Amino acid sequence: QVQLVESGGGLVQAGGSLRLSCAASGRTFSRYTMGWFRQAPGKEREFVVGINWNGDNTYYADSVKGRFTISRDNAKNTVYLQMNSLKPEDTAVYYCAATLRGSLLGAYDFWGQGTQVTVSS
């Protein structure tokens, strides 16, 4: 199993940027497909982006394409989410997730605690 801890959330004005980090425990981090999800109050959890084990394959939700970038550094056991041109509708709790399965849109098995991102207009 892997333990995930998100950081980097906060309050930012519309048009600004944040970089979220997800630090993973364990020496087998590189085997995991990683993803970011978000959940706004009163809404279902939604997929944001996924990245495969070596970073060669990514898949972004349409709502964040061109604005968000996922990356991973397996040597540091860390996955990042660079968020640019933030909009108020990006406001949500952002969760890091992991799975040993390869599908970027598949069910994720392990979850971080979440970090709040609030974008003011």
Side-chain angles (χ1 to χ4, degrees):
Q1 297 185 358
V2 61
Q3 295 182 357
L4 308 172
V5 180
E6 303 95 335
S7 63
L11 176 64
V12 65
Q13 293 183 341
S17 298
L18 286 173
R19 189 179 76 160
L20 306 184
S21 298
C22 175
S25 66
R27 56 187 293 168
T28 59
F29 172 76
S30 63
R31 298 194 298 160
Y32 285 87
T33 295
M34 303 296 298
W36 288 95
F37 291 75
R38 65 187 183 185
Q39 187 168 24
K43 296 185 180 296
E44 298 290 335
R45 181 185 62 189
E46 67 173 343
F47 172 82
V48 176
V49 61
I51 186 168
N52 73 331
W53 69 274
N54 65 0
D56 288 341
N57 190 27
T58 59
Y59 189 88
Y60 293 85
D62 289 341
S63 60
V64 305
K65 286 180 180 177
R67 299 188 299 120
F68 291 10
T69 303
I70 190 172
S71 61
R72 67 189 297 164
D73 187 338
N74 289 343
K76 296 181 178 180
N77 285 3
T78 302
V79 63
Y80 304 95
L81 183 65
Q82 178 66 46
M83 305 186 295
N84 298 326
S85 301
L86 283 162
K87 305 174 181 179
E89 50 263 46
D90 295 318
T91 296
V93 177
Y94 283 71
Y95 296 92
C96 179
T99 179
L100 286 172
R101 295 185 292 108
S103 176
L104 305 188
L105 291 171
Y108 286 75
D109 304 304
F110 307 102
W111 299 85
Q113 187 175 3
T115 185
Q116 177 71 47
V117 172
T118 303
V119 184
S120 62
S121 61

